[in-house]
Amino acid sequence: MEEKFSKLDLKQIEEKGIPIAKIEKQLYFFKNGIAKINLLRLATKNDGIWVLSGEEKERYIQTFNRKVSLFDIQKFVPASGAASRMFQFLSEFLNEYDFENETINAYINRKKSSELSVFLIGLKNFPFYQDLKNKTLSIYSEVYYSNDRDRKDYFLIKTLLSKDYFDFANKPKGILPFHRKENKITTPVEEHLKETIFYKTDNKKAKIHFTVSENHLEYFKKITDKEDSVEVSFSYQQSYTDTLAVNKDNTPFRNDDGTLLFRPGGHGALIENLNQLNVDIIFIKNIDNVSQNHVFEITNYKKILGGILISVQEKVFQFLKLIEKGSLTDQKLSEISLFANKKLNANLPTDFNKYKKSYQSEILFKILNRPIRICGMVKNEGEPGGGPFWIKHENGTISLQIVESSQVDFNNDQQVDIFRKSTHFNPVDLVCGVKNYKGEKFNLLDYVDENMGFIVEKTKNGNPIKSFELPGLWNGAMAFWNTIFVEVPLSTFNPVKTVNDLLKPAHQPENE
């Protein structure tokens, strides 16, 4: 370490609160690379993914409704991202459109920008249209009242993205106008607050936690302070989860002032924030996955996932207490083994029942005594994102994991074939049991697979750099949890990746 870092460097590392061992590990990964994941097979219906009957769904809803008041429940919403990608094609338009010499239609043809075409056709259906029109009218009234449609559209887009006016591309997604109903504009934050009603009980407020950027906090509080019926809390991505950036030759990259460059470690850093929540059950959902329609169906599926967690957790706790007491009968050991295999996908060795009883008990205790996550999975219809797979770890064990494309070896045809045939994808719809059978909180950091991070290539001031992203929150950060995948309908997944997604039925007023 001393060869690579000066005393000032070590002081900078210490001030950020990053253990030297973590820096050494990151440098090791930069030098040696990170092994790609070993996909064994797809997780499919009845082979890793539960597909429930109508009767089973109803039973889990009833379980949740009956027992929800026994648990301290919180919703966890990662919400720190700015909306820059949502408006990327509009930013490109402002940068590259030749205002004086071409029509917008000529630009669309020249750039093959079908997104801009869709945006302009649907312009009046965006929830922010009326405010945008009024603002543009007040700034560029002469232009706006002219008959030149292109000029009107250009100045509307300019007002939408201008730092002096709406500045939407630099604001967090969570506070943007996503929905309009009966002339009321609603943000994703407000939709998430509304959705907490499914786990609210008579005797206590529903709880929700947003992770935000520190410089965006006031935007969020302005919205949440109006809501008295929900207990809202916030946290930031911790600076000690930032990771070192290096040059192509794996030497530390330095800023112009000679200091080391650190970059945010990706959403995997949020396992630290999740670990700080002292509740029994945590629902996780992304900030942009909201809908103003079919809310009843969406909340019912939340109850189904919650009901599965409660049912499975009860059984797990019951078995752990029996193992702890000792003197299990062969029949009971066999029952617990079957549960671990069938429900928790434990993949016990085929000769497991030949082991000594004490060793069987020890293995089963270790398997059962972990955090549990129930993950909704949607049928794959070509959406980008990770999917559910059976993987083989380096020690030979097999487990269910959510795998991203960046973890796959695209030089291996067999691995690519498995990945591309995925029948389901991950909509980030999780419910987590984070306490053990004694009611003590698990330390979630003990269940992270640090070898599941990824190296990404970026540029800084025109220079190529490499950066390390921590194992993703629902990928390697939860690699050693007990995992159950459950099929949920596409109607529960309504993300807004580009502004045009707001034109989809889930985000438009019904019957309009």
Side-chain angles (χ1 to χ4, degrees), residues 156-186:
L156 281 166
I157 293 168
K158 193 171 180 179
T159 306
L160 186 70
L161 300 190
S162 167
K163 285 184 167 55
D164 295 327
Y165 304 115
F166 280 44
D167 196 24
F168 273 7
N170 291 310
K171 286 182 176 168
K173 263 190 192 181
I175 65 148
L176 295 182
F178 264 34
H179 300 148
R180 178 182 58 80
K181 205 168 197 172
E182 293 159 4
N183 292 324
K184 186 183 182 322
I185 302 290
T186 314

Side-chain angles (χ1 to χ4, degrees), residues 83 85-90 114-116 118-120 122-123 125-128 173 176-180 188 288-294 382-384 493-509:
R85 282 187 194 169
M86 257 182 85
F87 299 96
Q88 194 170 343
F89 70 91
L90 294 178
S114 57
E115 285 180 304
L116 180 58
V118 170
F119 176 83
L120 294 173
L123 190 55
N125 294 313
F126 286 107
F128 48 77
K173 263 190 192 181
L176 295 182
F178 264 34
H179 300 148
R180 178 182 58 80
D288 65 349
N289 183 12
V290 289
S291 172
Q292 65 174 342
N293 305 321
H294 45 254
E383 292 279 349
F493 182 58
N494 303 289
V496 177
K497 299 305 175 195
T498 90
V499 64
N500 288 347
D501 287 331
L502 293 176
L503 299 172
K504 291 179 178 177
H507 302 290
Q508 288 290 309

Side-chain angles (χ1 to χ4, degrees), residues 218-427:
E218 289 312 310
Y219 288 131
F220 283 87
K221 290 189 85 169
K222 200 172 174 183
I223 297 169
T224 59
D225 284 351
K226 297 175 194 167
E227 183 56 69
D228 295 329
S229 63
V230 183
E231 186 182 311
V232 183
S233 57
F234 298 95
S235 63
Y236 316 127
Q237 200 161 306
Q238 305 293 342
S239 68
Y240 59 77
T241 62
D242 290 353
T243 61
L244 188 68
V246 297
N247 296 299
K248 283 283 194 184
D249 63 359
N250 301 320
T251 56
F253 180 89
R254 295 184 180 278
N255 295 307
D256 292 343
D257 62 1
T259 56
L260 299 168
L261 174 65
F262 290 92
R263 300 187 78 259
H267 61 70
L270 298 181
I271 195 70
E272 299 271 355
N273 306 62
L274 197 70
N275 200 35
Q276 295 302 313
L277 303 186
N278 190 16
V279 291
D280 304 316
I281 293 174
I282 302 170
F283 285 84
I284 302 178
K285 195 176 173 187
N286 275 337
I287 187 66
D288 65 349
N289 183 12
V290 289
S291 172
Q292 65 174 342
N293 305 321
H294 45 254
V295 174
F296 181 74
E297 183 182 21
I298 289 168
T299 53
N300 262 354
Y301 270 92
K302 294 284 171 290
K303 290 181 178 186
I304 290 165
L305 298 180
I308 293 170
L309 175 71
I310 290 167
S311 304
V312 168
Q313 197 170 248
E314 274 180 3
K315 205 77 176 157
V316 165
F317 290 176
Q318 178 194 332
F319 286 151
L320 283 166
K321 285 168 186 171
L322 284 173
I323 294 171
E324 192 176 49
K325 276 184 189 171
S327 63
L328 289 172
T329 63
D330 289 347
Q331 188 181 349
K332 186 54 75 175
L333 265 176
S334 178
E335 183 191 340
I336 298 172
S337 306
L338 189 66
F339 174 85
N341 263 342
K342 294 283 184 193
K343 296 291 187 188
L344 299 181
N345 309 297
N347 276 285
L348 293 168
T350 48
D351 58 349
F352 180 76
N353 59 358
K354 294 177 182 171
Y355 295 178
K356 279 173 63 179
K357 275 172 69 173
S358 60
Y359 188 42
Q360 284 186 39
S361 295
E362 192 181 315
I363 291 172
L364 288 169
F365 189 89
K366 203 170 176 183
I367 287 168
L368 296 177
N369 195 32
R370 301 176 189 187
I372 304 171
R373 59 175 177 161
I374 315 296
C375 312
M377 287 291 154
V378 170
K379 279 186 181 172
N380 197 342
E381 295 197 354
E383 292 279 349
F389 295 88
W390 292 98
I391 75 157
K392 193 170 190 177
H393 297 268
E394 285 179 9
N395 64 2
T397 59
I398 294 165
S399 72
L400 274 179
Q401 300 290 339
I402 297 169
V403 178
E404 307 292 329
S405 59
S406 53
Q407 297 174 277
V408 177
D409 182 359
F410 277 88
N411 294 318
N412 182 320
D413 290 344
Q414 183 205 19
Q415 293 287 291
V416 171
D417 190 51
I418 295 171
F419 186 73
R420 292 213 165 124
K421 284 182 177 168
S422 172
T423 59
H424 291 73
F425 75 93
N426 166 40

